[in-house]
Amino acid sequence: MSDFVEVTDDALDLSEISKLVTAPTTGATSLFVGTTRDHFEGKAVVHLEYEAYKPMAKKEMLKVCQKIRSKWSGIHNIAIYHRLGHVAVTEASVVVAVSSEHRKESLEAVQFAIDDLKANVPIWKKEFYADKKSQW
Amino acid sequence: MASSVAESVEIEVLFFAKAREAVGKSSSPLKVARRHLYNSGDLLVTLENAFPELVSLKRSFILALNEQYLDTSSSEPVTLSSSDQLAIIPPISGG
């Protein structure tokens, strides 16, 4: 039973992250992928840039994993990966993968994980708009 | 109880996102008096005095000391030690 947390400048490889959590004993692997959207509050977005307080972000991501394990039994592996730097529209900024023996736990845990990450992990995005302006 | 007026500690202040852009750097050393600082008031005032550009953020940030969030609603005093890392955390927007 492992927690894999990472903040990286590299593009996120969904297949690799999914394989990381899947195990012979798990029948379910649930994934959430957050991708850059092309609009925000009526403005056209061209790309996002992410910044993190890296060591604290990883600590908080591990806390997310701990919370998951205390709320659901039967969770096998958890992976939370967040990309930093430039993330273009349709590209993945965050991937959460959870494996469990049966599907209920991993589906629920993935939803919890992304909600909790957004509430607690010190990562920031800056939006870059088509009109050349930007905003944190 | 005697308190040493001259005693101070050097901490590192980390700036992120909007705070980093306002101040113009991602980190800075800061000398503070080695005493209890109430995080709901004193600490913020100390930071705003040391880095006046922070005032424009109108305290829309929280603090983390050594990678742990500080509870700014708590009136518990915070003691700073040499080499502590105090991070300015504007509203987070990851995920």
Side-chain angles (χ1 to χ4, degrees), chain B residues 6-18:
Chain B
E7 208 187 340
S8 64
V9 292
E10 189 167 283
I11 65 169
E12 192 187 15
V13 183
L14 303 180
F15 306 95
F16 293 96
K18 220 168 178 174

Side-chain angles (χ1 to χ4, degrees), chain A residues 51 59 82 120 123 125-126, chain B residues 17 20-21 67 69 93 95:
Chain A
E51 177 179 338
K59 266 191 178 158
H82 205 299
N120 293 301
I123 295 178
K125 71 168 183 269
K126 188 171 186 179
Chain B
R20 181 178 53 72
E21 286 185 351
E67 302 172 6
Y69 289 116
S93 52

Side-chain angles (χ1 to χ4, degrees), chain A residues 32-76:
Chain A
F32 172 82
V33 182
T35 58
T36 296
R37 195 175 68 224
D38 67 3
H39 62 278
F40 180 77
E41 288 179 353
K43 296 207 245 191
V45 172
V46 288
H47 72 266
L48 299 179
E49 274 181 26
Y50 285 92
E51 177 179 338
Y53 183 2
K54 289 185 196 179
M56 188 175 173
K58 287 171 82 161
K59 266 191 178 158
E60 288 295 319
M61 284 170 162
L62 285 172
K63 284 186 194 170
V64 175
C65 296
Q66 274 163 34
K67 288 179 204 173
I68 287 171
R69 293 185 187 286
S70 70
K71 288 168 88 74
W72 289 276
S73 56
I75 300 289
H76 194 72

Side-chain angles (χ1 to χ4, degrees), chain B residues 32-89:
Chain B
V32 288
R34 188 187 169 81
R35 57 180 169 83
H36 295 293
L37 289 171
Y38 294 88
N39 60 14
S40 60
D42 291 1
L43 200 41
L44 290 172
V45 170
T46 301
L47 288 167
E48 284 173 343
N49 286 340
F51 309 103
E53 302 92 338
L54 284 179
V55 174
S56 66
L57 267 61
K58 298 184 188 167
R59 300 192 175 182
S60 64
F61 53 83
I62 58 176
L63 301 174
L65 180 61
N66 299 325
E67 302 172 6
Q68 304 258 46
Y69 289 116
L70 282 180
D71 179 2
T72 45
S73 64
S74 157
S75 55
E76 267 196 48
V78 175
T79 310
L80 297 177
S81 311
S82 184
S83 304
D84 272 352
Q85 251 191 14
L86 187 64
I88 312 267
I89 310 268

Side-chain angles (χ1 to χ4, degrees), chain A residues 46-119:
Chain A
V46 288
H47 72 266
L48 299 179
E49 274 181 26
Y50 285 92
E51 177 179 338
Y53 183 2
K54 289 185 196 179
M56 188 175 173
K58 287 171 82 161
K59 266 191 178 158
E60 288 295 319
M61 284 170 162
L62 285 172
K63 284 186 194 170
V64 175
C65 296
Q66 274 163 34
K67 288 179 204 173
I68 287 171
R69 293 185 187 286
S70 70
K71 288 168 88 74
W72 289 276
S73 56
I75 300 289
H76 194 72
N77 294 326
I78 305 170
I80 303 177
Y81 274 56
H82 205 299
R83 188 172 170 193
L84 302 179
H86 188 294
V87 183
V89 170
T90 75
E91 287 187 8
S93 51
V94 61
V95 175
V96 178
V98 181
S99 63
S100 54
E101 195 179 328
H102 302 291
R103 68 187 184 282
K104 187 171 197 286
E105 289 78 20
S106 69
L107 283 168
E108 290 175 357
V110 163
Q111 174 154 22
F112 174 85
I114 184 62
D115 289 345
D116 204 66
L117 179 149
K118 289 173 86 70

